[in-house]
Amino acid sequence: MNITMIGSGYVGLVSGACFADFGHNVICVDADANKIERLKTGEIPIFEPGLDELVANNVEQNRLSFTTELEPAVKGADAVFIAVGTPSRRGDGHADLSFVYAVAQTIAKALKGFTVVVNKSTVPVGTGDEVERIIREVNPDADFTVVSNPEFLREGAAIEDFKRPDRVVIGIEDPRARDVMEEIYRPLSLNAPPLVFVGRRTSELTKYAANAFLATKITFINEIADLCEKVGADVQEVARGIGLDKRIGGKFLHAGPGYGGSCFPKDTLALIKTGQDEGAALRIVETVVAVNDARKRAMARKVINALGGSVRGKKIALLGLAFKPNTDDMRDAPSLAIVASLAGDGAQVHAYDPESMAQARPLMPEVTFHDNAYSALEGADALAIVTEWDAFRALDLDRVRSLLKQPIIVDLRNVYRPGDVRKRGFTYVSVGRT
Ligand SMILES: NC(=O)c1ccc[n+]([C@@H]2O[C@H](COP(=O)([O-])OP(=O)(O)OC[C@H]3O[C@@H](n4cnc5c(N)ncnc54)[C@H](O)[C@@H]3O)[C@@H](O)[C@H]2O)c1
């Protein structure tokens, strides 16, 4: 199959490289000339484990190429995937669909022969209808259909998720699209994940429902963690106790500083907006968003309280900035709210993250960045762990203790066992563990 992938970010680049690895011919397009230039010279503009090798192999096999020229890349494509960003629209939380609609306008003119236009971006219900309307308006003679195929990959495990998905949801309105989509995903049949064919609107809503549910699960366990702290229970054990129940499942039950990242915050807001517009308010999701926002601020207070109620003039070492490990993505990372609160209260924040510092620097001008964890710790009044990179689990705690001015660890990801750390003479504050 000839596939054109429009948008070569976290989703487009991973999806494009994986489709090429399945044996399809893939052209990845991006409007960002600098990104395409880097990709052409073999440089991967994002951090995603295994992606550099996957891209290099498929470029070498002539199955994967990069361009900024959208129109020629669309001619001759069996399927054109749209994987551009859909950030929150300023002001009302609705998804900003301007990138998606701009792509629809441009591809309309270039479509040749029957083409399946696939929305892989996360888009509100009805966006497929609008993309179809735009293409039809610009090019009334085009032979095409619009499909919804939301992406469920997780950054940090994106290739594995793409190649071994739990399911692939495909929303179609034209039966001809089914054959094309089955052919595109046929190489997955070895692992036999279900291709779930549904209507286009159902598919669009399924993506939002999935993300809202996962955000709810995280927020639920975070509130249970607060209660654990009050009553002397251990949230990790509660999570295990409920997670072993197959009806609940153990994933997304790790208490922490609140969800962040490029998807949950904007997707929960967009779903709430759709619910309000349609007169079917999603009160649970509305509460989840409010609780999660408050939580990020509360995490800074945890650090402040550990230091006796004031951080003015204190030096705080912050380890981990990305919204989760194994990514460099800083979008809506809890660290942003935590740094803003601590710096706002007069603390000097010194930080280290293995991959995200280039992205974090412009977002946190008040922070001093270090090129390794131990250097950030020197003379600090406390250590706060904000992202659970494996490297932080393996820190030499005796060295940590010798570097810190005060042996205080605020572990917002429950990386350590309270008993182990306290035994080494630290004051240890966790999330929901006593
Ligand atoms: N990041 C994730 O983990 C994830 C997971 C599932 C779904 N999604 C969804 O996938 C979509 C893409 O997310 P992302 O994280 O890959 O975004 P991203 O910002 O990393 O990438 C989007 C890319 O699209 C390019 N672009 C914008 N307008 C363009 C145009 N007119 N022509 C060509 N390229 C254009 C941008 O330059 C950018 O490189 C979003 O809707 C997101 O919600 C993301």
Side-chain angles (χ1 to χ4, degrees):
M1 289 261 134
N2 293 325
I3 295 176
T4 301
M5 184 65 64
I6 304 173
S8 305
Y10 287 88
V11 164
L13 188 55
V14 169
S15 307
C18 288
F19 281 146
D21 212 46
F22 291 172
H24 302 304
N25 297 314
V26 180
I27 305 178
C28 284
V29 184
D30 205 285
D32 181 341
N34 178 264
K35 195 175 264 187
I36 291 298
E37 218 30 66
R38 290 168 72 186
L39 284 164
K40 279 183 172 172
T41 59
E43 198 190 325
I44 305 296
I46 55 169
F47 175 76
E48 181 60 47
L51 189 56
D52 45 0
E53 207 183 322
L54 191 74
V55 167
N57 285 345
N58 285 283
V59 168
E60 201 180 301
Q61 302 291 322
N62 289 322
R63 289 193 297 254
L64 181 62
S65 60
F66 304 100
T67 182
T68 51
E69 301 291 320
L70 202 156
E71 288 183 47
V74 165
K75 290 194 177 90
D78 297 298
V80 177
F81 282 75
I82 302 176
V84 296
T86 49
S88 270
R89 192 162 68 189
R90 209 173 265 276
D92 67 357
H94 192 279
D96 176 354
L97 297 170
S98 56
F99 301 104
V100 173
Y101 294 155
V103 169
Q105 287 271 356
T106 319
I107 59 176
K109 299 168 207 147
L111 294 175
K112 283 267 175 307
F114 177 62
T115 313
V116 179
V117 176
V118 189
N119 250 333
K120 193 162 254 321
S121 297
T122 302
V123 291
V125 176
T127 305
D129 304 356
E130 183 60 11
V131 167
E132 186 174 312
R133 194 195 61 72
I134 292 170
I135 297 177
R136 177 95 42 231
E137 188 176 275
V138 176
N139 184 354
D141 299 329
D143 186 13
F144 74 101
T145 183
V146 177
V147 164
S148 160
N149 173 215
E151 185 47 58
F152 296 95
L153 62 76
R154 294 162 302 165
E155 287 174 18
I159 296 170
E160 176 67 13
D161 283 354
F162 196 91
K163 290 192 163 182
R164 292 177 206 282
D166 291 339
R167 81 307 201 186
V168 178
V169 175
I170 303 172
I172 58 171
E173 297 299 319
D174 177 338
R176 290 180 297 169
R178 188 176 179 125
D179 297 342
V180 174
M181 297 306 287
E182 275 178 345
E183 184 58 21
I184 288 173
Y185 281 106
R186 195 171 46 82
L188 284 185
S189 60
L190 292 174
N191 311 321
L195 298 190
V196 182
F197 282 97
V198 293
R200 198 163 61 200
R201 287 178 161 245
T202 302
S203 168
E204 290 169 337
L205 186 55
T206 301
K207 171 65 189 174
Y208 281 101
N211 275 2
F213 191 82
L214 294 173
T216 302
K217 228 176 151 184
I218 293 171
T219 307
F220 175 83
I221 202 68
N222 283 341
E223 285 203 316
I224 294 291
D226 288 346
L227 184 57
C228 284
E229 288 173 16
K230 300 278 186 214
V231 302
D234 184 317
V235 73
Q236 307 255 103
E237 288 169 8
V238 173
R240 186 170 144 77
I242 63 173
L244 284 169
D245 183 330
K246 288 194 184 66
R247 293 169 302 178
I248 296 173
K251 304 249 174 80
F252 285 75
L253 286 179
H254 300 288
Y259 62 77
S262 63
C263 291
F264 289 176
K266 76 173 177 63
D267 291 349
T268 43
L269 286 180
L271 183 61
I272 289 170
K273 185 74 176 70
T274 303
Q276 287 167 352
D277 289 351
E278 299 294 333
L282 296 159
R283 290 194 303 273
I284 293 173
V285 187
E286 286 172 5
T287 304
V288 163
V289 168
V291 170
N292 193 64
D293 282 350
R295 182 162 193 87
K296 291 183 189 173
R297 291 190 294 277
M299 292 300 107
R301 275 202 301 283
K302 229 179 207 308
V303 179
I304 295 166
N305 291 342
L307 281 163
S310 169
V311 289
R312 188 153 302 282
K314 301 266 169 69
K315 176 176 171 181
I316 309 219
L318 215 136
L319 294 187
L321 298 170
F323 83 94
K324 66 175 181 182
N326 297 322
T327 183
D328 57 352
D329 201 336
M330 284 296 298
R331 288 178 281 187
D332 269 310
S335 64
L336 293 165
I338 294 169
V339 164
S341 279
L342 293 176
D345 279 11
Q348 302 149 19
V349 181
H350 288 246
Y352 168 72
D353 185 286
E355 294 294 339
S356 74
M357 291 198 294
Q359 298 214 20
R361 245 177 251 274
L363 304 172
M364 303 175 164
E366 62 278 71
V367 168
T368 307
F369 292 90
H370 293 258
D371 57 12
N372 68 75
Y374 295 111
S375 149
L377 289 167
E378 256 181 83
D381 293 281
L383 157 62
I385 298 201
V386 181
T387 314
E388 68 278 33
W389 286 89
D390 277 347
F392 303 152
R393 296 179 196 279
L395 285 179
D396 172 350
L397 287 177
D398 292 329
R399 190 168 167 203
V400 169
R401 191 157 186 267
S402 71
L403 288 169
L404 287 174
K405 194 153 92 192
Q406 303 188 73
I408 300 173
I409 297 180
V410 182
D411 182 358
L412 300 180
R413 297 288 186 171
N414 290 338
V415 163
Y416 299 120
R417 285 203 196 98
D420 292 354
V421 190
R422 292 196 181 113
K423 215 162 51 198
R424 288 163 187 263
F426 287 97
T427 300
Y428 178 72
V429 178
S430 68
V431 176
R433 311 189 79 188
T434 44

